């Protein structure tokens, strides 16, 4: 990190695209590995280090290894509290965590207890006075098909009503090369109709034009990645026009896309295209554990790759508040926080 790393660290930040099990730090991973020595898992199997790249397929193999390590309520609680505290220590003031509820027959973990445990972690951090406002998006893993997607939405709906505003939406994620979004539309439509917000991974890889069109019809409240939406990346002008017309924010994950090789280099990242259009873009980490990054580093990378001056970086983090799923009151509180924390020289 260079001299002004402190500026990015001190910058108050909003994180809107963070997969829980992809966000597990080295320290937490070591605790998990110690809990389950019989699995013979080494840390090199759960993260992609500096300068390393993997195919997206290989990234999804990494998640399978992590899921073996996180298979009890106790694990989920530890992972979620650690992740929340780490984001808070990185000066993230508002976080939307997302995770796919899993059931594990051998440990008694159920999808319901999985969600309850994440909510418990959010509450515990609040009680301890950790300075971060956290919400939860229940994730649909696209490879599990229509029925599971519908079941997930129904669960999310229940928790939206019972969690006191902590469950705010649905994430659609998972290996983009598996399955088709078409069969998930009824579940996503239901989620929308009942008031859950939608953040959908879209065009993370090429050749998803038809699917992206269908998903844009819903429409989503935010787009995850959107790497191949624009014509230069194999997308189409009409997809861009629709995202622009709806001002649907893009969640931008630089390191994830470069390490997962869906984007060739930082300077060629689609952030440039959308940022130049004046489209709402939110810098995010995706999987800070797997890709060995944090949100401060992602802002710093964006600044150096696209020549953003400190005032532009500040505006980028401040505008992220407009894109959160929590209500207007929370937005107002966050805007107030940004005003109070703004350095005099900006
Ligand atoms: C699509 C991704 C992803 O849900 O167990 N996930 N889905 N694209 C990506 N780009 C790299 N990174 C993570 O966290 C892990 C799960 O998040 C999704 C995958 O479904 C992965 O299994 P949770 O907390």
């Amino acid at each position: 990190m260079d001299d002004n790393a402190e500026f990015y660290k001190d910058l108050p930040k909003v994180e809107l695209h963070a997969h829980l099990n992809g966000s597990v730090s080295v320290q937490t991973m070591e605790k998990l590995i110690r809990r389950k020595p019989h699995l013979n898992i080494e840390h090199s199997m759960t993260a992609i280090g500096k300068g390393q790249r993997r195919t997206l397929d290989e990234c999804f193999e990494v998640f399978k290894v992590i899921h073996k390590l996180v298979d009890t309520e106790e694990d989920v609680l530890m992972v979620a509290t650690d992740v929340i505290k780490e984001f808070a220590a990185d000066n993230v003031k508002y976080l939307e965590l997302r995770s796919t509820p899993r059931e594990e027959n051998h440990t008694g973990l159920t999808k319901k207890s999985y969600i309850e445990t994440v909510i418990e972690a959010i509450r515990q951090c609040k009680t301890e006075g950790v300075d971060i406002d956290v919400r939860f998006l229940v994730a649909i893993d696209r490879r599990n098909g229509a029925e599971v997607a519908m079941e997930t939405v129904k669960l999310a709906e229940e928790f939206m009503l019972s969690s006191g505003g902590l469950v705010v939406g649905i994430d659609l994620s998972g290996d983009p090369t598996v399955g088709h979004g078409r069969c998930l539309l009824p579940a996503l439509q239901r989620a929308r109709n009942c008031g859950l917000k939608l953040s959908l991974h879209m065009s993370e890889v090429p050749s998803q034009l038809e699917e992206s069109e269908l998903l844009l019809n819903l429409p989503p409240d935010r787009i995850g990645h959107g790497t191949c939406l624009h014509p230069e990346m194999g997308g189409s002008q009409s997809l861009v026009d629709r995202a622009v017309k709806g001002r649907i924010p893009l969640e931008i994950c630089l390191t994830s896309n470069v390490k997962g090789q869906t984007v060739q280099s930082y300077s060629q990242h689609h952030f440039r295209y959308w940022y130049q259009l004046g489209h709402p873009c939110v810098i995010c980490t995706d999987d800070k554990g797997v890709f060995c990054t944090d949100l401060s580093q992602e802002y710093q990378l964006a600044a150096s790759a696209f020549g953003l001056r400190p005032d532009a970086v500040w505006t980028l983090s401040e505008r992220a508040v407009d894109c959160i799923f929590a209500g207007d009151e929370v937005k107002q509180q966050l805007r107030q926080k940004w005003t109070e924390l703004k350095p005099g020289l900006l």
Side-chain angles (χ1 to χ4, degrees), residues 111-345:
K111 291 185 179 181
K112 197 165 180 177
S113 69
Y114 187 102
I115 300 177
E116 278 165 353
T117 308
V118 175
I119 291 174
E120 174 58 22
I122 298 174
R123 293 210 169 109
Q124 275 187 22
C125 289
K126 201 174 167 121
T127 309
E128 286 177 35
V130 183
D131 180 20
I132 186 168
D133 194 341
V134 187
R135 306 296 151 130
F136 186 44
L137 310 184
V138 181
I140 295 172
D141 185 334
R142 51 184 292 141
R143 99 191 127 135
N144 294 332
E147 217 172 293
V148 174
M150 186 59 89
E151 184 197 327
T152 308
V153 168
K154 287 182 184 166
L155 259 182
E157 205 175 327
E158 253 178 62
F159 279 100
M160 178 184 68
L161 299 171
S162 67
S163 65
L166 295 181
V167 171
V168 288
I170 288 286
D171 155 59
L172 171 63
S173 54
D175 188 339
T177 61
V178 179
H180 197 291
R182 189 189 304 108
C183 69
L184 309 173
L185 290 175
L188 296 171
Q189 193 73 60
R190 179 182 173 125
R192 228 194 126 69
N193 291 344
C194 78
L196 286 158
K197 300 279 189 183
L198 297 182
S199 166
L200 309 181
H201 282 58
M202 212 185 273
S203 287
E204 190 176 359
V205 293
S207 340
Q208 286 187 305
L209 286 191
E210 191 211 345
E211 177 181 295
S212 296
E213 258 175 52
L214 291 173
L215 295 177
L216 275 171
N217 280 341
L218 284 161
D221 298 283
R222 291 198 310 254
I223 294 170
H225 303 293
T227 313
C228 305
L229 280 177
H230 68 91
E232 290 158 35
M233 287 289 280
S236 77
Q237 192 58 45
S238 98
L239 289 174
V240 172
D241 290 345
R242 287 168 67 190
V244 168
K245 193 157 174 250
R247 277 194 82 71
I248 310 173
L250 254 69
E251 300 157 354
I252 300 287
C253 310
L254 298 169
T255 298
S256 161
N257 296 157
V258 170
K259 283 193 172 176
Q261 298 185 68
T262 53
V263 167
Q264 289 314 305
S265 67
Y266 289 102
S267 62
Q268 286 168 280
H269 195 278
H270 54 287
F271 171 77
R272 185 194 299 280
Y273 178 90
W274 292 92
Y275 186 72
Q276 281 174 353
L277 284 180
H279 192 77
C281 292
V282 183
I283 303 287
C284 302
T285 52
D286 207 6
D287 300 288
K288 74 175 180 59
V290 171
F291 297 116
C292 304
T293 187
D294 62 28
L295 195 51
S296 298
Q297 198 175 312
E298 294 302 301
Y299 269 92
Q300 189 164 4
L301 281 166
S304 80
F306 307 108
L308 308 181
R309 297 209 326 245
D311 55 338
V313 172
W314 181 273
T315 305
L316 199 54
S317 89
E318 196 171 33
R319 296 254 166 94
V321 174
D322 303 340
C323 308
I324 70 171
F325 286 165
D328 286 343
E329 202 179 318
V330 179
K331 285 185 185 159
Q332 283 310 332
Q333 286 163 3
L334 291 169
R335 288 187 185 118
Q336 180 67 28
K337 209 168 246 184
W338 259 249
T339 307
E340 285 161 15
L341 292 169
K342 191 165 185 171
L345 287 175

Side-chain angles (χ1 to χ4, degrees), residues 19-21 60 63 67 99-100 141 173-174 201 204 256 286-287:
H19 299 274
L20 178 61
N21 287 298
F60 284 98
F63 296 121
H67 285 161
S99 193
T100 325
D141 185 334
S173 54
H201 282 58
E204 190 176 359
S256 161
D286 207 6
D287 300 288

